[in-house]
Amino acid sequence: MDQALSRTSYMRRRYKRLQHLLHLRERACVRGYLQMMQPAPARVLDIPCGVGRFTPLLRAAAQEELQCCDVDEESLRALREAEPGEGTPLRIRRMNIFEPLPFGDASQDLVFNFRFFHHVDDPDQRGHIVRELSRVARRWLVVSYYETNALHALHKRVLRLRNQRRSLPMIPRGEFRTAFEACGCHIVQDRPMLPLLHAHRVVLMEKRG
């Protein structure tokens, strides 16, 4: 019988070698972005949250409430088991990001969406997600994506030849920026995590009125 998913077991399995270095860079970037937010966000939404890799950072930053949402029940269970009872109130909910989000306009001071866009290859679905994330954000968004990157794509192609990985949708930087800017989001910073080696970028955006 397979061992039940836990945050610890997931992190050990998923973030090894290059991915571990990437994880450290991502955490440092997110921590820096959170420190730039003044005043600190009161209400924070993390969707999809997975097992809660960033929950401790986001929970420390949120002044009133952190909502962690995902469609996968096993991931949500692992998150519940990993998080302590004390601290900023934590609300964990099952939610499908491909459907309209059950939050009011500008109801979340920070919207966090991490390592998700490279799983979405349908332009209409991608557009829906951009609009919904922008709609519910009041001021800040932290969103990551894989930028079109020839070296990273070649690496993935080699892995596919070994039957290890499927192709991942990558997005030209200009396309990503234009989509969010059309929804009233201003790009504050757009950082590559491992320049030349990996396509992942993490973006801090501020919502315009």
Side-chain angles (χ1 to χ4, degrees):
M1 181 180 295
D2 293 338
Q3 184 178 8
L5 176 69
S6 71
R7 183 190 289 170
T8 300
S9 65
Y10 175 82
M11 292 295 297
R12 287 175 178 168
R13 182 178 70 251
R14 178 68 179 84
Y15 294 97
K16 297 181 291 187
R17 297 182 289 276
L18 180 65
Q19 285 292 328
H20 179 67
L21 175 59
L22 186 61
H23 164 68
L24 296 178
R25 292 291 298 268
E26 290 169 349
R27 281 183 59 86
C29 179
V30 170
R31 186 181 294 109
Y33 283 170
L34 292 172
Q35 291 171 351
M36 292 171 61
M37 299 176 190
Q38 298 298 329
R43 301 175 64 84
V44 178
L45 169 65
D46 180 8
I47 184 169
C49 61
V51 299
R53 181 159 68 105
F54 288 94
T55 301
L57 283 179
L58 296 175
R59 199 172 183 187
Q63 301 300 293
E64 292 183 8
E65 180 184 64
L66 169 62
Q67 295 207 55
C68 292
C69 305
D70 203 292
V71 73
D72 184 65
E73 289 284 7
E74 188 176 13
S75 294
L76 295 178
R77 180 197 53 75
L79 189 157
R80 289 188 185 96
E81 293 180 354
E83 282 300 308
E86 66 276 5
T88 300
L90 176 63
R91 187 176 185 189
I92 300 172
R93 305 173 63 181
R94 187 177 187 277
M95 195 173 295
N96 189 345
I97 195 172
F98 293 108
E99 297 175 354
L101 301 180
F103 303 109
D105 297 353
S107 58
Q108 307 297 316
D109 299 288
L110 165 62
V111 172
F112 187 83
N113 177 273
F114 210 86
R115 281 211 187 203
F116 180 72
F117 269 92
H118 63 275
H119 295 296
V120 185
D121 54 6
D122 182 270
D124 291 336
Q125 289 182 333
R126 191 180 294 165
H128 161 79
I129 294 166
V130 169
R131 290 188 295 272
E132 282 296 281
L133 296 180
S134 303
R135 179 184 67 79
V136 303
R138 188 187 71 81
R139 184 174 182 187
W140 301 105
L141 300 93
V142 173
V143 182
S144 76
Y145 71 104
Y146 279 25
E147 180 190 17
T148 302
N149 178 301
L151 185 60
H152 189 113
L154 176 61
H155 176 65
K156 290 297 183 185
R157 191 174 301 118
V158 171
L159 290 177
R160 289 199 303 278
L161 291 175
R162 297 174 182 173
N163 297 318
Q164 292 185 22
R165 295 287 179 85
R166 65 179 179 82
S167 177
L168 295 176
M170 299 187 185
I171 310 172
R173 195 184 317 178
E175 180 180 325
F176 178 90
R177 295 169 71 101
T178 297
F180 276 95
E181 287 170 347
C183 293
C185 300
H186 168 66
I187 309 295
V188 178
Q189 291 196 24
D190 182 349
R191 297 182 185 174
M193 293 298 94
L194 291 175
L196 300 180
L197 294 178
H198 201 278
H200 197 214
R201 302 182 71 92
V202 182
V203 185
L204 172 64
M205 292 176 274
E206 187 171 11
K207 184 83 171 288
R208 287 172 171 166

mmCIF file of all heavy atoms in Angstrom, residues 132-155:
data_model
loop_
_atom_site.group_PDB
_atom_site.id
_atom_site.type_symbol
_atom_site.label_atom_id
_atom_site.label_comp_id
_atom_site.label_asym_id
_atom_site.label_seq_id
_atom_site.Cartn_x
_atom_site.Cartn_y
_atom_site.Cartn_z
ATOM 1 N N GLU A 132 -9.734 35.927 -13.391
ATOM 2 C CA GLU A 132 -10.239 35.651 -12.046
ATOM 3 C C GLU A 132 -9.227 36.040 -10.970
ATOM 4 O O GLU A 132 -9.597 36.632 -9.952
ATOM 5 C CB GLU A 132 -10.609 34.171 -11.910
ATOM 6 C CG GLU A 132 -11.943 33.819 -12.536
ATOM 7 C CD GLU A 132 -13.092 34.537 -11.845
ATOM 8 O OE1 GLU A 132 -13.518 34.097 -10.775
ATOM 9 O OE2 GLU A 132 -13.551 35.560 -12.388
ATOM 10 N N LEU A 133 -7.967 35.728 -11.184
ATOM 11 C CA LEU A 133 -6.945 36.129 -10.213
ATOM 12 C C LEU A 133 -6.894 37.642 -10.082
ATOM 13 O O LEU A 133 -6.800 38.188 -8.974
ATOM 14 C CB LEU A 133 -5.574 35.587 -10.623
ATOM 15 C CG LEU A 133 -5.395 34.070 -10.654
ATOM 16 C CD1 LEU A 133 -3.975 33.726 -11.094
ATOM 17 C CD2 LEU A 133 -5.698 33.437 -9.303
ATOM 18 N N SER A 134 -6.962 38.327 -11.208
ATOM 19 C CA SER A 134 -6.922 39.794 -11.195
ATOM 20 C C SER A 134 -8.175 40.377 -10.556
ATOM 21 O O SER A 134 -8.102 41.380 -9.839
ATOM 22 C CB SER A 134 -6.769 40.319 -12.627
ATOM 23 O OG SER A 134 -5.621 39.794 -13.253
ATOM 24 N N ARG A 135 -9.306 39.760 -10.801
ATOM 25 C CA ARG A 135 -10.572 40.281 -10.284
ATOM 26 C C ARG A 135 -10.608 40.261 -8.756
ATOM 27 O O ARG A 135 -11.019 41.236 -8.120
ATOM 28 C CB ARG A 135 -11.740 39.457 -10.833
ATOM 29 C CG ARG A 135 -13.113 39.901 -10.322
ATOM 30 C CD ARG A 135 -14.220 38.995 -10.820
ATOM 31 N NE ARG A 135 -14.139 37.653 -10.279
ATOM 32 C CZ ARG A 135 -14.547 37.285 -9.061
ATOM 33 N NH1 ARG A 135 -15.064 38.202 -8.237
ATOM 34 N NH2 ARG A 135 -14.447 36.033 -8.661
ATOM 35 N N VAL A 136 -10.188 39.149 -8.158
ATOM 36 C CA VAL A 136 -10.328 39.024 -6.699
ATOM 37 C C VAL A 136 -9.197 39.721 -5.945
ATOM 38 O O VAL A 136 -9.293 39.924 -4.729
ATOM 39 C CB VAL A 136 -10.431 37.548 -6.269
ATOM 40 C CG1 VAL A 136 -11.594 36.875 -6.972
ATOM 41 C CG2 VAL A 136 -9.137 36.792 -6.525
ATOM 42 N N ALA A 137 -8.116 40.092 -6.644
ATOM 43 C CA ALA A 137 -6.994 40.771 -5.982
ATOM 44 C C ALA A 137 -7.355 42.225 -5.693
ATOM 45 O O ALA A 137 -7.894 42.922 -6.557
ATOM 46 C CB ALA A 137 -5.748 40.702 -6.849
ATOM 47 N N ARG A 138 -7.033 42.674 -4.489
ATOM 48 C CA ARG A 138 -7.235 44.081 -4.155
ATOM 49 C C ARG A 138 -5.997 44.911 -4.470
ATOM 50 O O ARG A 138 -6.094 45.979 -5.071
ATOM 51 C CB ARG A 138 -7.589 44.243 -2.675
ATOM 52 C CG ARG A 138 -7.995 45.680 -2.313
ATOM 53 C CD ARG A 138 -8.168 45.865 -0.825
ATOM 54 N NE ARG A 138 -6.900 45.822 -0.116
ATOM 55 C CZ ARG A 138 -6.066 46.863 -0.022
ATOM 56 N NH1 ARG A 138 -6.356 48.015 -0.596
ATOM 57 N NH2 ARG A 138 -4.939 46.756 0.648
ATOM 58 N N ARG A 139 -4.806 44.392 -4.096
ATOM 59 C CA ARG A 139 -3.598 45.156 -4.377
ATOM 60 C C ARG A 139 -2.467 44.334 -4.987
ATOM 61 O O ARG A 139 -1.907 44.724 -5.988
ATOM 62 C CB ARG A 139 -3.101 45.835 -3.099
ATOM 63 C CG ARG A 139 -1.886 46.726 -3.383
ATOM 64 C CD ARG A 139 -1.443 47.522 -2.186
ATOM 65 N NE ARG A 139 -0.313 48.373 -2.544
ATOM 66 C CZ ARG A 139 0.389 49.097 -1.674
ATOM 67 N NH1 ARG A 139 0.045 49.075 -0.391
ATOM 68 N NH2 ARG A 139 1.409 49.810 -2.090
ATOM 69 N N TRP A 140 -2.141 43.176 -4.388
ATOM 70 C CA TRP A 140 -0.946 42.460 -4.796
ATOM 71 C C TRP A 140 -1.267 41.109 -5.420
ATOM 72 O O TRP A 140 -2.228 40.444 -5.042
ATOM 73 C CB TRP A 140 -0.019 42.218 -3.594
ATOM 74 C CG TRP A 140 0.440 43.447 -2.892
ATOM 75 C CD1 TRP A 140 0.009 43.921 -1.678
ATOM 76 C CD2 TRP A 140 1.446 44.368 -3.341
ATOM 77 N NE1 TRP A 140 0.679 45.074 -1.356
ATOM 78 C CE2 TRP A 140 1.569 45.379 -2.350
ATOM 79 C CE3 TRP A 140 2.250 44.445 -4.478
ATOM 80 C CZ2 TRP A 140 2.458 46.435 -2.467
ATOM 81 C CZ3 TRP A 140 3.140 45.492 -4.604
ATOM 82 C CH2 TRP A 140 3.241 46.476 -3.606
ATOM 83 N N LEU A 141 -0.414 40.711 -6.366
ATOM 84 C CA LEU A 141 -0.441 39.358 -6.916
ATOM 85 C C LEU A 141 0.997 38.871 -7.040
ATOM 86 O O LEU A 141 1.886 39.633 -7.445
ATOM 87 C CB LEU A 141 -1.079 39.284 -8.299
ATOM 88 C CG LEU A 141 -2.532 39.737 -8.464
ATOM 89 C CD1 LEU A 141 -2.568 41.209 -8.870
ATOM 90 C CD2 LEU A 141 -3.241 38.897 -9.532
ATOM 91 N N VAL A 142 1.220 37.605 -6.679
ATOM 92 C CA VAL A 142 2.480 36.927 -6.966
ATOM 93 C C VAL A 142 2.113 35.711 -7.810
ATOM 94 O O VAL A 142 1.402 34.814 -7.350
ATOM 95 C CB VAL A 142 3.219 36.495 -5.683
ATOM 96 C CG1 VAL A 142 4.439 35.638 -6.039
ATOM 97 C CG2 VAL A 142 3.639 37.722 -4.873
ATOM 98 N N VAL A 143 2.583 35.711 -9.048
ATOM 99 C CA VAL A 143 2.230 34.669 -10.012
ATOM 100 C C VAL A 143 3.509 34.205 -10.699
ATOM 101 O O VAL A 143 4.359 35.026 -11.048
ATOM 102 C CB VAL A 143 1.226 35.185 -11.064
ATOM 103 C CG1 VAL A 143 0.836 34.065 -12.026
ATOM 104 C CG2 VAL A 143 -0.022 35.764 -10.389
ATOM 105 N N SER A 144 3.639 32.907 -10.896
ATOM 106 C CA SER A 144 4.820 32.407 -11.590
ATOM 107 C C SER A 144 4.415 31.743 -12.902
ATOM 108 O O SER A 144 3.268 31.322 -13.084
ATOM 109 C CB SER A 144 5.594 31.427 -10.705
ATOM 110 O OG SER A 144 4.961 30.167 -10.647
ATOM 111 N N TYR A 145 5.381 31.630 -13.794
ATOM 112 C CA TYR A 145 5.139 31.007 -15.102
ATOM 113 C C TYR A 145 6.463 30.525 -15.676
ATOM 114 O O TYR A 145 7.543 30.918 -15.215
ATOM 115 C CB TYR A 145 4.458 31.982 -16.059
ATOM 116 C CG TYR A 145 5.344 33.122 -16.542
ATOM 117 C CD1 TYR A 145 5.881 33.119 -17.830
ATOM 118 C CD2 TYR A 145 5.644 34.202 -15.715
ATOM 119 C CE1 TYR A 145 6.689 34.170 -18.270
ATOM 120 C CE2 TYR A 145 6.443 35.255 -16.154
ATOM 121 C CZ TYR A 145 6.958 35.227 -17.425
ATOM 122 O OH TYR A 145 7.758 36.259 -17.855
ATOM 123 N N TYR A 146 6.381 29.667 -16.672
ATOM 124 C CA TYR A 146 7.562 29.225 -17.405
ATOM 125 C C TYR A 146 7.649 30.053 -18.683
ATOM 126 O O TYR A 146 6.777 29.950 -19.557
ATOM 127 C CB TYR A 146 7.452 27.745 -17.768
ATOM 128 C CG TYR A 146 7.816 26.779 -16.660
ATOM 129 C CD1 TYR A 146 7.718 27.131 -15.315
ATOM 130 C CD2 TYR A 146 8.253 25.492 -16.961
ATOM 131 C CE1 TYR A 146 8.042 26.241 -14.312
ATOM 132 C CE2 TYR A 146 8.578 24.590 -15.957
ATOM 133 C CZ TYR A 146 8.469 24.969 -14.643
ATOM 134 O OH TYR A 146 8.788 24.077 -13.642
ATOM 135 N N GLU A 147 8.705 30.822 -18.788
ATOM 136 C CA GLU A 147 8.910 31.617 -19.997
ATOM 137 C C GLU A 147 9.472 30.730 -21.108
ATOM 138 O O GLU A 147 10.265 29.815 -20.858
ATOM 139 C CB GLU A 147 9.898 32.745 -19.721
ATOM 140 C CG GLU A 147 10.168 33.622 -20.942
ATOM 141 C CD GLU A 147 11.313 34.584 -20.725
ATOM 142 O OE1 GLU A 147 12.104 34.386 -19.778
ATOM 143 O OE2 GLU A 147 11.433 35.532 -21.522
ATOM 144 N N THR A 148 9.045 31.001 -22.325
ATOM 145 C CA THR A 148 9.597 30.293 -23.480
ATOM 146 C C THR A 148 11.119 30.378 -23.435
ATOM 147 O O THR A 148 11.694 31.469 -23.414
ATOM 148 C CB THR A 148 9.067 30.898 -24.783
ATOM 149 O OG1 THR A 148 7.633 30.830 -24.781
ATOM 150 C CG2 THR A 148 9.612 30.160 -25.992
ATOM 151 N N ASN A 149 11.770 29.218 -23.391
ATOM 152 C CA ASN A 149 13.206 29.147 -23.150
ATOM 153 C C ASN A 149 13.765 27.971 -23.940
ATOM 154 O O ASN A 149 13.412 26.817 -23.684
ATOM 155 C CB ASN A 149 13.462 28.984 -21.645
ATOM 156 C CG ASN A 149 14.921 28.849 -21.280
ATOM 157 O OD1 ASN A 149 15.605 27.945 -21.742
ATOM 158 N ND2 ASN A 149 15.394 29.747 -20.431
ATOM 159 N N ALA A 150 14.623 28.252 -24.913
ATOM 160 C CA ALA A 150 15.102 27.216 -25.829
ATOM 161 C C ALA A 150 15.894 26.135 -25.110
ATOM 162 O O ALA A 150 15.727 24.936 -25.368
ATOM 163 C CB ALA A 150 15.950 27.847 -26.925
ATOM 164 N N LEU A 151 16.758 26.514 -24.159
ATOM 165 C CA LEU A 151 17.580 25.539 -23.457
ATOM 166 C C LEU A 151 16.735 24.633 -22.570
ATOM 167 O O LEU A 151 16.912 23.411 -22.538
ATOM 168 C CB LEU A 151 18.646 26.252 -22.625
ATOM 169 C CG LEU A 151 19.663 25.347 -21.912
ATOM 170 C CD1 LEU A 151 20.432 24.513 -22.920
ATOM 171 C CD2 LEU A 151 20.631 26.197 -21.079
ATOM 172 N N HIS A 152 15.785 25.249 -21.848
ATOM 173 C CA HIS A 152 14.900 24.459 -20.994
ATOM 174 C C HIS A 152 14.053 23.513 -21.843
ATOM 175 O O HIS A 152 13.851 22.349 -21.484
ATOM 176 C CB HIS A 152 14.004 25.394 -20.180
ATOM 177 C CG HIS A 152 13.208 24.700 -19.128
ATOM 178 N ND1 HIS A 152 13.409 24.896 -17.787
ATOM 179 C CD2 HIS A 152 12.191 23.797 -19.202
ATOM 180 C CE1 HIS A 152 12.570 24.158 -17.093
ATOM 181 N NE2 HIS A 152 11.813 23.486 -17.942
ATOM 182 N N ALA A 153 13.563 24.017 -22.974
ATOM 183 C CA ALA A 153 12.742 23.184 -23.852
ATOM 184 C C ALA A 153 13.542 22.000 -24.402
ATOM 185 O O ALA A 153 13.029 20.884 -24.522
ATOM 186 C CB ALA A 153 12.199 24.035 -24.998
ATOM 187 N N LEU A 154 14.820 22.235 -24.726
ATOM 188 C CA LEU A 154 15.672 21.144 -25.212
ATOM 189 C C LEU A 154 15.856 20.089 -24.131
ATOM 190 O O LEU A 154 15.792 18.884 -24.395
ATOM 191 C CB LEU A 154 17.024 21.706 -25.643
ATOM 192 C CG LEU A 154 18.071 20.669 -26.100
ATOM 193 C CD1 LEU A 154 17.563 19.909 -27.315
ATOM 194 C CD2 LEU A 154 19.396 21.362 -26.409
ATOM 195 N N HIS A 155 16.077 20.543 -22.903
ATOM 196 C CA HIS A 155 16.226 19.607 -21.783
ATOM 197 C C HIS A 155 14.968 18.759 -21.624
ATOM 198 O O HIS A 155 15.044 17.536 -21.444
ATOM 199 C CB HIS A 155 16.512 20.402 -20.510
ATOM 200 C CG HIS A 155 16.583 19.561 -19.278
ATOM 201 N ND1 HIS A 155 17.549 18.611 -19.069
ATOM 202 C CD2 HIS A 155 15.784 19.538 -18.167
ATOM 203 C CE1 HIS A 155 17.358 18.026 -17.907
ATOM 204 N NE2 HIS A 155 16.303 18.565 -17.340
#
